[in-house]
Amino acid sequence: MGSNRILAAFVLSFCTIAANAQTFKLTSPDFGPDKPFDDKFTFKGLGCNGTNVSPALSWENPPPGTKSFALMVHDPDAMTGGAGIWHWVIIDIPASASAIAQGAGTNDGAALPAGSRQIRNDYEQTGWGGPCPPKGKPPHRYNFTLYALGVGTLDVPPDATASHAGFLINLRAISKATLSSTYGR
């Protein structure tokens, strides 16, 4: 009987710890599941007339052992034969960071957290490339995934593709948080 009480106490304490654990979470004041992108965040070019401003992002409760972060923004609905489009990739975001300011996704990345590095997106540019789905088609989904990494920096060549960076990011990820929204025109 004593071992059953010990087991019950252990299970109860484990459940209490798990219930109190904080969830790694990514949020934005600019968009979300119930808040589509405003036109200012959309791409300027390819028939789209946005201002290509990157949205603000913030996160909380990264897991223990996080040494850096990486962000990947993907449109799985793009008509690319299944590959989708990578809109923004940032690596080497320091573990001390908890946000990216609105408009920080410029080509030079000067307003990103110190030490962060952007990888060329599928618009063949460095920095944020906003949504630009085909006119008159159903809205596309945009998935912002922030990865908590167990390494301080990634060994990604300067000319790496988003897919190459994604492979290395996923190899080093210890957790991830995703925030999604839609945009159509």
Side-chain angles (χ1 to χ4, degrees), residues 5-48:
R5 280 190 217 137
I6 293 170
L7 179 59
F10 173 75
V11 170
L12 181 59
S13 67
F14 178 76
C15 291
T16 302
I17 291 168
N20 291 328
Q22 299 291 326
T23 303
F24 183 34
K25 187 175 181 181
L26 177 64
T27 60
S28 176
D30 298 327
F31 71 94
D34 299 323
K35 183 180 180 183
F37 288 102
D38 184 78
D39 286 341
K40 81 176 186 178
F41 301 111
T42 63
F43 193 65
K44 183 166 184 69
L46 301 175
C48 291

Coordinates of all heavy atoms in Angstrom, one line a residue, residues 5-48:
R5 N 0.8 4.8 -2.6 CA 0.7 6.2 -2.1 C 1.9 7.0 -2.7 O 1.7 8.2 -3.1 CB 0.7 6.3 -0.6 CG -0.7 5.9 -0.1 CD -0.8 6.3 1.4 NE -1.6 5.2 2.0 CZ -1.3 4.6 3.1 NH1 -0.3 5.0 3.9 NH2 -2.1 3.7 3.6
I6 N 3.1 6.5 -2.6 CA 4.2 7.2 -3.2 C 4.1 7.4 -4.7 O 4.3 8.5 -5.2 CB 5.5 6.4 -2.9 CG1 5.8 6.4 -1.4 CG2 6.7 7.0 -3.6 CD1 6.9 5.5 -0.9
L7 N 3.6 6.4 -5.4 CA 3.4 6.5 -6.8 C 2.3 7.6 -7.1 O 2.5 8.5 -8.0 CB 3.0 5.2 -7.4 CG 2.7 5.2 -8.9 CD1 3.9 5.7 -9.7 CD2 2.2 3.8 -9.4
A8 N 1.2 7.6 -6.3 CA 0.1 8.5 -6.5 C 0.6 9.9 -6.2 O 0.3 10.9 -6.9 CB -1.0 8.2 -5.6
A9 N 1.5 10.1 -5.2 CA 2.0 11.4 -4.8 C 2.9 11.9 -6.0 O 2.9 13.1 -6.3 CB 2.8 11.4 -3.5
F10 N 3.7 11.0 -6.5 CA 4.6 11.3 -7.6 C 3.8 11.8 -8.8 O 4.1 12.8 -9.4 CB 5.5 10.2 -8.0 CG 6.4 10.4 -9.2 CD1 7.5 11.2 -9.1 CD2 6.0 9.8 -10.4 CE1 8.3 11.5 -10.3 CE2 6.8 10.1 -11.5 CZ 7.9 10.9 -11.5
V11 N 2.8 11.0 -9.2 CA 2.0 11.4 -10.4 C 1.3 12.7 -10.1 O 1.3 13.6 -11.0 CB 0.9 10.3 -10.7 CG1 -0.1 10.7 -11.7 CG2 1.7 9.0 -11.1
L12 N 0.8 12.9 -9.0 CA 0.1 14.2 -8.6 C 1.1 15.4 -8.7 O 0.8 16.4 -9.3 CB -0.5 14.2 -7.3 CG -1.3 15.4 -6.8 CD1 -2.4 15.7 -7.8 CD2 -1.9 15.2 -5.4
S13 N 2.3 15.2 -8.2 CA 3.2 16.3 -8.2 C 3.7 16.6 -9.7 O 3.9 17.7 -10.1 CB 4.4 16.0 -7.3 OG 5.2 14.9 -7.8
F14 N 3.9 15.5 -10.5 CA 4.3 15.7 -11.9 C 3.2 16.4 -12.6 O 3.5 17.3 -13.4 CB 4.5 14.3 -12.5 CG 4.9 14.4 -14.0 CD1 6.2 14.9 -14.3 CD2 4.0 14.1 -15.0 CE1 6.5 15.0 -15.7 CE2 4.3 14.3 -16.3 CZ 5.6 14.7 -16.7
C15 N 1.9 16.1 -12.4 CA 0.8 16.7 -13.1 C 0.7 18.2 -12.7 O 0.4 19.1 -13.5 CB -0.5 16.0 -12.8 SG -0.6 14.4 -13.6
T16 N 1.0 18.5 -11.4 CA 1.0 19.9 -10.9 C 2.1 20.7 -11.6 O 1.9 21.8 -12.1 CB 1.1 19.9 -9.4 OG1 0.1 19.2 -8.8 CG2 1.1 21.3 -8.9
I17 N 3.3 20.1 -11.7 CA 4.4 20.8 -12.4 C 4.1 21.0 -13.8 O 4.2 22.1 -14.4 CB 5.7 20.0 -12.2 CG1 6.2 20.0 -10.8 CG2 6.8 20.6 -13.2 CD1 7.3 19.1 -10.5
A18 N 3.5 20.0 -14.5 CA 3.2 20.1 -15.9 C 2.1 21.2 -16.1 O 2.1 22.0 -17.1 CB 2.7 18.8 -16.5
A19 N 1.1 21.2 -15.2 CA 0.0 22.2 -15.4 C 0.5 23.6 -15.2 O 0.0 24.6 -15.7 CB -1.1 21.9 -14.4
N20 N 1.6 23.8 -14.3 CA 2.1 25.1 -14.1 C 3.2 25.6 -15.0 O 3.6 26.7 -15.0 CB 2.7 25.2 -12.6 CG 1.6 25.1 -11.6 OD1 0.5 25.6 -11.8 ND2 1.9 24.5 -10.5
A21 N 3.7 24.6 -15.9 CA 4.7 25.0 -16.8 C 4.2 26.0 -17.8 O 3.1 25.9 -18.3 CB 5.2 23.7 -17.6
Q22 N 5.0 26.9 -18.2 CA 4.7 28.0 -19.1 C 4.9 27.5 -20.5 O 5.9 26.8 -20.8 CB 5.5 29.2 -18.9 CG 5.3 29.8 -17.5 CD 3.9 30.4 -17.3 OE1 3.3 31.0 -18.2 NE2 3.4 30.3 -16.1
T23 N 4.0 27.9 -21.4 CA 4.1 27.4 -22.8 C 4.9 28.5 -23.6 O 4.7 29.7 -23.5 CB 2.7 27.3 -23.4 OG1 2.0 26.4 -22.7 CG2 2.8 26.8 -24.9
F24 N 5.9 28.0 -24.4 CA 6.6 28.8 -25.4 C 5.6 29.4 -26.3 O 4.9 28.6 -27.0 CB 7.7 28.0 -26.0 CG 8.6 28.7 -27.0 CD1 9.0 30.0 -26.8 CD2 9.1 28.0 -28.1 CE1 9.9 30.6 -27.6 CE2 10.0 28.6 -29.0 CZ 10.4 29.9 -28.8
K25 N 5.5 30.7 -26.4 CA 4.5 31.3 -27.2 C 5.0 32.5 -28.0 O 5.8 33.3 -27.6 CB 3.4 31.8 -26.2 CG 2.2 32.4 -26.9 CD 1.1 32.7 -25.8 CE -0.1 33.2 -26.4 NZ -1.1 33.6 -25.4
L26 N 4.5 32.6 -29.3 CA 4.8 33.7 -30.2 C 3.5 34.5 -30.4 O 2.5 33.9 -30.7 CB 5.3 33.1 -31.5 CG 5.7 34.1 -32.7 CD1 6.8 35.0 -32.3 CD2 6.0 33.3 -33.9
T27 N 3.6 35.8 -30.3 CA 2.5 36.7 -30.5 C 2.9 37.9 -31.4 O 4.0 38.2 -31.6 CB 1.9 37.2 -29.2 OG1 2.9 37.9 -28.5 CG2 1.4 36.0 -28.3
S28 N 1.8 38.6 -31.9 CA 2.1 39.9 -32.6 C 0.9 40.8 -32.4 O -0.3 40.3 -32.4 CB 2.2 39.6 -34.1 OG 2.3 40.8 -34.8
P29 N 1.1 42.1 -32.2 CA 0.0 43.0 -32.1 C -0.5 43.3 -33.5 O -1.6 43.9 -33.7 CB 0.7 44.3 -31.5 CG 2.1 44.2 -31.9 CD 2.4 42.7 -31.9
D30 N 0.2 42.9 -34.6 CA -0.1 43.3 -35.9 C -1.0 42.3 -36.7 O -1.6 42.6 -37.7 CB 1.2 43.5 -36.7 CG 2.0 44.7 -36.2 OD1 1.4 45.6 -35.6 OD2 3.2 44.6 -36.2
F31 N -1.0 41.1 -36.3 CA -1.8 40.0 -37.0 C -2.0 38.8 -36.0 O -1.4 38.8 -35.0 CB -1.1 39.5 -38.3 CG 0.1 38.7 -38.0 CD1 0.0 37.3 -37.9 CD2 1.4 39.3 -37.7 CE1 1.2 36.6 -37.6 CE2 2.5 38.6 -37.5 CZ 2.4 37.2 -37.4
G32 N -2.8 37.9 -36.4 CA -3.1 36.7 -35.6 C -4.1 35.8 -36.3 O -4.6 36.2 -37.4
P33 N -4.5 34.8 -35.6 CA -5.5 33.8 -36.2 C -6.8 34.5 -36.6 O -7.4 34.1 -37.5 CB -5.7 32.8 -35.1 CG -4.4 32.9 -34.3 CD -4.0 34.3 -34.4
D34 N -7.2 35.5 -35.8 CA -8.5 36.2 -36.0 C -8.2 37.6 -36.6 O -9.2 38.4 -36.7 CB -9.3 36.3 -34.8 CG -9.6 34.9 -34.3 OD1 -9.9 34.0 -35.1 OD2 -9.6 34.7 -33.0
K35 N -7.0 37.9 -36.9 CA -6.7 39.3 -37.4 C -5.8 39.2 -38.6 O -4.6 39.0 -38.5 CB -6.0 40.1 -36.3 CG -5.7 41.5 -36.7 CD -5.0 42.2 -35.5 CE -4.7 43.6 -35.9 NZ -4.0 44.4 -34.8
P36 N -6.3 39.2 -39.9 CA -5.5 39.1 -41.1 C -4.5 40.3 -41.2 O -4.7 41.3 -40.5 CB -6.5 39.2 -42.2 CG -7.9 39.0 -41.6 CD -7.8 39.4 -40.1
F37 N -3.6 40.2 -42.1 CA -2.6 41.2 -42.3 C -3.2 42.5 -42.9 O -4.1 42.4 -43.7 CB -1.6 40.7 -43.3 CG -0.6 39.7 -42.8 CD1 -0.8 38.4 -43.1 CD2 0.4 40.1 -42.0 CE1 0.1 37.4 -42.7 CE2 1.3 39.1 -41.5 CZ 1.1 37.8 -41.9
D38 N -2.8 43.6 -42.4 CA -3.1 44.9 -43.0 C -2.3 45.0 -44.3 O -1.2 44.5 -44.4 CB -2.8 46.0 -42.0 CG -3.2 47.4 -42.5 OD1 -4.4 47.7 -42.4 OD2 -2.3 48.1 -43.0
D39 N -2.8 45.8 -45.2 CA -2.1 46.0 -46.5 C -0.6 46.5 -46.3 O 0.2 46.2 -47.1 CB -2.8 46.9 -47.4 CG -4.1 46.2 -48.0 OD1 -4.1 45.0 -48.0 OD2 -5.0 47.0 -48.5
K40 N -0.4 47.3 -45.2 CA 1.0 47.8 -45.1 C 2.1 46.7 -44.9 O 3.2 46.9 -45.2 CB 1.1 48.8 -44.0 CG 1.2 48.3 -42.6 CD 1.4 49.4 -41.6 CE 1.7 49.0 -40.2 NZ 1.9 50.2 -39.3
F41 N 1.6 45.5 -44.5 CA 2.6 44.4 -44.3 C 2.8 43.6 -45.6 O 3.6 42.7 -45.6 CB 2.1 43.5 -43.2 CG 2.0 44.2 -41.9 CD1 0.7 44.4 -41.3 CD2 3.1 44.7 -41.2 CE1 0.6 45.1 -40.1 CE2 2.9 45.4 -40.0 CZ 1.7 45.6 -39.5
T42 N 2.0 43.9 -46.6 CA 2.1 43.1 -47.9 C 3.3 43.6 -48.8 O 3.8 44.7 -48.7 CB 0.8 43.1 -48.6 OG1 0.5 44.4 -49.0 CG2 -0.3 42.6 -47.7
F43 N 3.6 42.7 -49.7 CA 4.7 43.0 -50.6 C 4.4 44.1 -51.5 O 3.3 44.4 -51.9 CB 5.0 41.7 -51.4 CG 6.3 41.7 -52.1 CD1 7.5 41.7 -51.5 CD2 6.3 41.6 -53.5 CE1 8.7 41.7 -52.2 CE2 7.5 41.6 -54.2 CZ 8.7 41.6 -53.5
K44 N 5.5 44.8 -51.9 CA 5.4 45.8 -53.0 C 6.1 45.3 -54.2 O 7.3 45.2 -54.2 CB 6.0 47.1 -52.5 CG 5.8 48.2 -53.6 CD 6.1 49.6 -53.0 CE 5.9 50.7 -54.0 NZ 4.5 50.9 -54.3
G45 N 5.3 44.9 -55.2 CA 5.9 44.3 -56.4 C 5.0 43.1 -56.8 O 4.1 42.7 -56.1
L46 N 5.3 42.5 -57.9 CA 4.5 41.3 -58.4 C 3.0 41.6 -58.5 O 2.2 40.7 -58.2 CB 4.8 40.1 -57.6 CG 6.3 39.7 -57.5 CD1 6.4 38.5 -56.5 CD2 6.8 39.3 -58.9
G47 N 2.6 42.9 -58.7 CA 1.2 43.2 -58.7 C 0.6 43.6 -57.4 O -0.5 43.9 -57.3
C48 N 1.4 43.5 -56.3 CA 0.9 43.9 -55.0 C 1.4 45.3 -54.7 O 2.5 45.7 -55.1 CB 1.4 42.9 -53.9 SG 0.7 41.3 -54.1

